[in-house]
Amino acid sequence: MLQVPEFAPREFVAGKDARTLSRELLAMTQEEFGRAFKGSPMKRAKLRGLKRNAAAVLGNVGEPEDLPVLTRALDDPEALVREHAVWALQKHSPTRNPSPDAAAPPVPAHTPD
């Protein structure tokens, strides 16, 4: 079997379930990302893309104990991450709007008189 080092499992992800990995990715700094995925194709997704995906995972399969990491993601410098954190938090509590300006209410359809 052909072994390509660039595609070898990274220690950072080895043996972790989706929720654990998602929580860790959302907490990861750019420096930590660079070290964990040096020479890896994962770097093409960029940290913001992985964090966005992590928020989506926690929105879909997360549990109440994942809410603090999603709440912290509301302060992420990347709008993409913040938007997905809002979505994920709303999936867990549809009546909660974690950030007043992050998720505007739907615009009503215009109907002619």
Side-chain angles (χ1 to χ4, degrees):
M1 186 163 122
L2 179 64
Q3 296 290 326
V4 180
E6 291 84 5
F7 294 103
R10 301 293 166 162
E11 183 178 326
F12 178 79
V13 298
K16 295 179 183 171
D17 64 73
R19 286 181 47 235
T20 300
L21 182 57
S22 294
R23 287 191 305 266
E24 291 180 7
L25 283 169
L26 281 170
M28 186 176 262
T29 66
Q30 189 64 46
E31 185 177 278
E32 292 166 333
F33 172 72
R35 280 195 310 271
F37 296 106
K38 183 177 182 177
S40 165
M42 292 290 285
K43 289 191 79 172
R44 277 184 249 142
K46 300 193 176 16
L47 180 57
R48 71 176 170 265
L50 292 177
K51 285 184 171 189
R52 175 206 55 214
N53 293 351
V57 166
L58 295 180
N60 286 313
V61 299
E63 298 291 334
E65 58 267 22
D66 300 322
L67 297 179
V69 73
L70 285 168
T71 301
R72 284 191 299 277
L74 296 173
D75 294 327
D76 195 272
E78 293 285 345
L80 181 68
V81 176
R82 293 190 307 269
E83 291 164 6
H84 281 74
V86 167
W87 173 84
L89 286 164
Q90 288 175 335
K91 289 273 291 186
H92 288 281
S93 180
T95 59
R96 180 177 177 215
N97 186 359
S99 174
D101 57 339
V107 177
H110 175 71
T111 55
D113 294 85

